[in-house]
Amino acid sequence: MNLGYTMKVVRIDKKNWVGDIENLSRSYRLFGPVKDDNFHRFEELDKDKLPDLDYFNTRLSPKSIVYPQSETMFEYCLDERKKDHHVMKEASKDYSQRAVIGIRPCDAAAFLLVKRNFDTPECKDPYWVKAYEATTFVGLACNNPHSACFCTTAGCGPFHEDGLDILLIDAGNHYFAKIITSKGENLLKAAGWDTKVDAGKEIESMKQNAETGITSFIATNKLKDKITADLFDAPFWEDMAFACINCGTCTYACPTCWCFDIQDEVHGCSGTRMRNWDSCMYPLFTLHGSGYNPRNTGMQRVRQRFMHKLKYYVDKYDNGIQCVGCGRCVSLCPVNIDIRKICNTMNSYEK
Amino acid sequence: MSLKIPRYDINLEPSMSKHPDFNRKSILMHTQSGFKSEIIAIVPLTAHEKLFHIRICDPCERENFAFLPGQFVMLELPGCGEVPISISSSSSNKEFIALCIRKVGKVTGMLHRLKPGTIVGIRGPFGTHFPMEKMVGHNILLIAGGLGIVPLRSPIYWVNEHRSDYGDITVMYGAKEPGQILFGYQFEEWRRIYGLNILTIVQNAGKGRQGKEGIITDLFDDIDIDSDNTFAVVCGPPVMFKFVCAHLSKSGLPRQRMFVSLERRMHCGMGKCCRCNVGSTFTCLDGPVFDYWTVMNLKEAI
C-alpha cells in the first residue's frame, strides 16, 4: 500500500552501509545481487556478505526469490506400513520476512505483472502469494541504463516505483532512500536509517538524466485495438521465428514468465511433488498423451510466446503488455530475436 | 421428474446459505490439496482402456464432492504424477466416481498396473460442464469419436436419470475397430430402458461384423436433425470437431448450440501453470466445455 503523505527520503551514508546491512540481517532474510563469474545473480546473502550494488542487470531475473526455479509443494511417504502413506502433505517452508536489496525497478514491477496471474480472486497461488507478501523490495534506481533496456516505453522506468517498498538512489558517497510503502517504513526502522533529507529536486534531476539514457523504444499504443485473429494469422511470424532454436533462454531469463511444470520425484520410500519453471518454447509443453500437439512447430511456439506477452495479456488484464523492458531476452538470445522489433511489427501491422 | 439443480430457496436456509456455483471457480481454493481416495474396482474395457472406480475415503468429503457432467478431476498418483481425467460416472452417484483411462504415458501406464485397494488422490472437480439445464425440453445429439465417449457417459447418465425433461436423445459413436468400442455392454440397456437412439460406426469392421463401416460423419445420413430444437455435444480427437461441426452447421444447427469438450495438456487445473491456454482463455478454467462459436473464434483451439 502506498503511504498517504508526501514521500519521505532519508540519506544513507555509504560509510555505515556494512553495519546497516548487518542490522537488517537480524530481522530479515536478505537477498541481493552477488558477482558470479562475469555476471551477477540474486541469491540469499550469508552473514557478512554484502549485496554488490555495482551491476547493470543480473543475468537471470530475481523472480526466483518469490518463485523458485524448483519448489517442493508436497511430500509423501510410499511405505505402506506407515500411517498416511500415499497422502500428499504440504511441505514446510520458510515464509519469514525477507528483503531483496538492490532489485532493479523493472524486476520489481515484473512481480506486479505476474501477480495478476498468481493472485486472482478465484484462486490465490499459496506459495507465490505467501512468499511475495513476506518480501520487502528495496530497489536500486538505474543511473546508467543498459543499451538493451527499453523500460520507459514498456510501462516502467529507471526510477519506477510501482512494486517497490523503498527506492535506493546512488548519489556518490551516499544513497537516498525513498520510502514508498509501510513495508518499507518497517525496514527503515530495522536498519536504523533516520537522516531525513529534502532531496526531491536532486532525485528528479537524476531521474530525468537516467531516462535520457534509455535509447531504445517500443510502440505499444495500437496493440489493444488490433484484432487477435489478424495478428495471429499475420505473415511475419514465419520470418520472426525462422532463426529460433527453441532453446527457452528467453523464458527462463524473463522476469514476467511464469509457466510451470509439476513433477514427482521419489527417493526410496519418500517422495516430493515439485513445480519447476517450464517454457512454452518446448514441444513437450503442450504435447497430449495421444501424440497430438496443438503447438507442434517452432513457429507456433514463438508466436504463442509473443502473442501471450503482447496481445493476450493486454486483452485479458487491460493493463499494458507483459513485459517490463529489462532487455534480458534481447541480450541473451543466441539468434538475436528481438522483442522490440516484434512488438513494433505487431503494433504497426495492418491487415 | 424435475431437474435436480438446487434452486435458492429462502425457506431452506441455512442449509443452502450459499448459492450453488457449478462453475466452481469460487471454490477452487478448496481443491488445492487432493481428497484421499481408494481405487475400489478396476474394470478392463479393451486392450488399452480400463475403468477405475474411485471412492473418496472420508465419508464427509465423499458426500460433499459434487460435479456436473463434463467436468474433470486431477487424479494424482503419489510417486508418479497427476493426470486430468474427465469423469464418466453419474453425477448422482455419491459412492464413487468412474474414470476411464487409456494407457498412454507414465502415470496412466502405472495406473494400469495397479490393483484395487490402492490409495490415490483426487483433486477437483475442475472446469466447465455441459449445459444440461439449458438443454431441458430439447433433443440432444451426443457425438463421440474413440475415447470421446468417456466424457459423454456422464451426460448420458444425466439424461437417463432426468429422461422426461429431454426430447429424443441420439448417441453417435465412431471407433477404429469393433474391439475398441467402449461401454458397448451398456448400449442395450440405454436403448431399451431409456429409449436412446444409439448409432455406432467403425472404420475397420474386420471380418464377420454386422453393422456400419465408415467414419463418424457417415452416420449423419441415418438421422434427421430437428435444427430448431436440438443441442449437440461433440467430443473426440481434434480432427473430428471440424468435420462433425461442419455437418451440423449444414443441417442448420446454430453454433451456439453445439458444445465441444477440448483436450489440453494440464498440470495445475487452476489457471496458473499456463500450458492449457488457447489464446487468452485457459482450458482448465474456461473449458474444457466450449460452445463451438467460441471455439471457432479462438485460434489454435482445434
Side-chain angles (χ1 to χ4, degrees):
Chain A
M1 68 213 85
N2 247 307
L3 296 181
Y5 49 89
T6 333
M7 280 189 201
K8 191 163 106 181
V9 177
V10 296
R11 197 179 64 205
I12 305 164
D13 219 311
K14 282 192 182 171
K15 272 186 287 182
N16 306 331
W17 182 245
V18 178
D20 294 341
I21 293 294
E22 209 175 286
N23 279 346
L24 276 181
S25 69
R26 286 196 201 104
S27 38
Y28 287 89
R29 282 172 68 193
L30 291 185
F31 292 80
V34 293
K35 201 165 166 56
D36 175 22
D37 250 355
N38 294 324
F39 296 94
H40 278 78
R41 65 189 166 86
F42 273 91
E43 65 169 36
E44 185 158 6
L45 301 171
D46 298 331
K47 232 180 160 29
D48 307 329
K49 198 158 190 186
L50 285 176
D52 180 0
L53 296 189
D54 185 24
Y55 77 107
F56 263 130
N57 231 344
T58 50
R59 182 160 48 160
L60 286 181
S61 84
K63 68 177 169 185
S64 59
I65 294 167
V66 169
Y67 176 42
Q69 180 156 15
S70 194
E71 179 174 25
T72 306
M73 300 195 291
F74 297 103
E75 291 166 340
Y76 48 85
C77 167
L78 297 175
D79 187 345
E80 298 200 356
R81 290 164 301 181
K82 297 254 171 71
K83 200 182 160 236
D84 273 351
H85 62 88
H86 287 81
V87 174
M88 298 278 166
K89 301 224 175 73
E90 194 127 340
S92 64
K93 265 178 255 172
D94 183 2
Y95 289 121
S96 57
Q97 64 173 355
R98 49 181 102 172
V100 197
I101 311 292
I103 187 173
R104 291 293 182 190
C106 55
D107 290 337
F111 283 105
L112 294 182
L113 303 192
V114 176
K115 190 167 187 276
R116 296 202 185 108
N117 181 59
F118 279 135
D119 187 2
T120 58
E122 301 91 45
C123 177
K124 292 182 193 308
D125 183 286
Y127 318 105
W128 192 92
V129 170
K130 276 186 209 161
Y132 179 76
E133 282 171 357
T135 312
T136 305
F137 295 94
V138 181
L140 177 66
C142 303
N143 291 338
N144 303 303
H146 193 270
S147 59
C149 293
F150 53 99
C151 52
T152 47
T153 42
C156 196
F159 278 57
H160 196 69
E161 290 165 12
D162 292 351
L164 285 174
D165 299 303
I166 292 182
L167 177 68
L168 293 180
I169 298 130
D170 192 335
N173 295 327
H174 54 266
Y175 293 110
F176 288 123
K178 201 167 179 185
I179 316 305
I180 300 158
T181 67
S182 52
K183 251 183 178 177
E185 188 92 22
N186 293 339
L187 184 130
L188 196 74
K189 278 181 205 141
W193 293 326
D194 51 7
T195 326
K196 273 188 217 169
V197 287
D198 183 17
K201 273 187 190 157
E202 202 173 332
I203 293 174
E204 191 55 36
S205 81
M206 287 173 84
K207 180 180 172 181
Q208 279 171 9
N209 196 26
E211 279 172 1
T212 51
I214 303 273
T215 50
S216 79
F217 310 101
I218 53 171
T220 58
N221 55 330
K222 289 190 225 150
L223 286 172
K224 198 179 141 192
D225 299 327
K226 293 273 179 251
I227 294 163
T228 310
D230 288 353
L231 282 179
F232 189 93
D233 294 325
F236 55 74
W237 291 113
E238 283 290 350
D239 279 350
M240 297 286 182
F242 178 73
C244 181
I245 54 173
N246 286 131
C247 66
T249 301
C250 48
T251 54
Y252 288 118
C254 178
T256 65
C257 272
W258 65 64
C259 297
F260 62 84
D261 182 29
I262 298 176
Q263 290 293 337
D264 279 36
E265 214 170 87
V266 180
H267 299 286
C269 276
S270 65
T272 52
R273 173 160 295 164
M274 43 223 303
R275 68 168 179 196
N276 310 311
W277 291 355
D278 204 347
S279 168
C280 56
M281 288 292 114
Y282 303 146
L284 258 181
F285 188 70
T286 46
L287 183 67
H288 288 191
S290 62
Y292 171 75
N293 193 344
R295 289 197 285 274
N296 201 22
T297 65
M299 185 279 274
Q300 287 172 324
R301 296 194 286 276
V302 171
R303 178 171 61 191
Q304 159 65 22
R305 178 172 144 81
F306 291 109
M307 283 294 278
H308 187 200
K309 289 214 173 298
L310 305 172
K311 181 63 186 164
Y312 303 151
Y313 188 91
V314 176
D315 287 354
K316 191 161 181 174
Y317 300 107
D318 197 12
N319 222 322
I321 55 173
Q322 191 202 345
C323 173
V324 287
C326 71
R328 283 188 181 88
C329 58
V330 178
S331 48
L332 291 177
C333 179
V335 295
N336 294 329
I337 290 177
D338 192 333
I339 191 171
R340 296 171 297 187
K341 188 176 152 203
I342 295 176
C343 184
N344 290 338
T345 311
M346 282 170 75
N347 193 57
S348 59
Y349 177 68
E350 296 292 342
K351 197 184 170 182
Chain B
M1 197 162 53
S2 70
L3 265 179
K4 276 186 192 156
I5 297 175
R7 294 189 199 288
Y8 192 79
D9 181 352
I10 201 156
N11 298 315
L12 289 177
E13 278 182 331
S15 65
M16 287 197 52
S17 55
K18 232 175 140 189
H19 195 74
D21 172 19
F22 284 117
N23 206 7
R24 245 161 264 284
K25 281 187 194 176
S26 62
I27 60 161
L28 270 179
M29 289 299 278
H30 299 288
T31 55
Q32 262 150 11
S33 54
F35 303 116
K36 182 185 173 185
S37 314
E38 185 188 354
I39 300 180
I40 54 170
I42 301 174
V43 188
L45 295 178
T46 71
H48 303 287
E49 285 101 9
K50 283 182 179 175
L51 187 67
F52 294 79
H53 289 181
I54 295 173
R55 200 161 91 130
I56 296 172
C57 294
D58 184 88
C60 234
E61 288 175 349
R62 185 160 70 226
E63 183 57 36
N64 287 336
F65 183 89
F67 69 93
L68 280 175
Q71 290 194 299
F72 66 95
V73 291
M74 297 296 286
L75 174 60
E76 47 185 39
L77 191 57
C80 264
E82 55 181 358
V83 280
I85 306 283
S86 39
I87 307 172
S88 42
S89 53
S90 160
S91 48
S92 66
N93 183 344
K94 285 283 173 188
E95 276 306 300
F96 63 85
I97 57 170
L99 305 176
C100 175
I101 297 169
R102 175 180 283 177
K103 186 165 81 178
V104 284
K106 184 177 147 198
V107 182
T108 52
M110 193 60 186
L111 277 164
H112 271 244
R113 298 171 61 177
L114 295 181
K115 293 197 170 66
T118 310
I119 300 295
V120 294
I122 292 282
R123 280 199 301 138
F126 296 112
T128 50
H129 54 88
F130 296 117
M132 305 312 293
E133 65 277 36
K134 259 196 229 164
M135 297 183 193
V136 169
H138 293 83
N139 300 334
I140 305 178
L141 196 54
L142 297 138
I143 305 169
L147 209 50
I149 191 79
V150 172
L152 296 196
R153 190 167 172 245
S154 185
I156 290 174
Y157 272 117
W158 177 286
V159 293
N160 288 349
E161 286 161 17
H162 307 93
R163 191 64 190 88
S164 58
D165 289 334
Y166 300 95
D168 295 338
I169 312 289
T170 309
V171 180
M172 292 163 63
Y173 180 29
K176 279 209 176 102
E177 289 165 24
Q180 290 185 4
I181 288 186
L182 295 165
F183 307 116
Y185 58 90
Q186 290 187 301
F187 290 176
E188 212 43 43
E189 174 199 342
W190 293 344
R191 267 190 200 118
R192 294 205 181 184
I193 300 181
Y194 302 106
L196 268 52
N197 179 21
I198 301 178
L199 307 165
T200 57
I201 193 161
V202 288
Q203 268 177 20
N204 178 12
K207 275 180 195 159
R209 186 183 185 265
Q210 295 178 344
K212 254 189 118 128
E213 197 176 37
I215 54 168
I216 185 99
T217 44
D218 296 343
L219 288 176
F220 282 107
D221 304 338
D222 302 352
I223 56 163
D224 290 319
I225 299 172
D226 175 8
S227 58
D228 295 334
N229 189 27
T230 301
F231 275 86
V233 172
V234 187
C235 188
V239 59
M240 198 186 94
F241 292 120
K242 265 182 202 165
F243 292 105
V244 168
C245 292
H247 262 268
L248 291 171
S249 280
K250 220 186 287 168
S251 54
L253 201 65
R255 293 189 179 104
Q256 287 95 330
R257 271 197 263 136
M258 296 178 207
F259 290 86
V260 298
S261 178
L262 294 189
E263 187 191 348
R264 279 291 178 279
R265 192 185 177 112
M266 291 174 193
H267 279 192
C268 71
M270 292 181 269
K272 302 292 172 213
C273 77
C274 212
R275 71 189 56 237
C276 67
N277 75 322
V278 180
S280 54
T281 61
F282 289 121
T283 314
C284 63
L285 290 180
D286 309 306
V289 177
F290 291 97
D291 66 82
Y292 192 61
W293 177 244
T294 308
V295 167
M296 276 193 67
N297 289 295
L298 278 176
K299 289 288 176 178
E300 257 174 12
I302 49 172

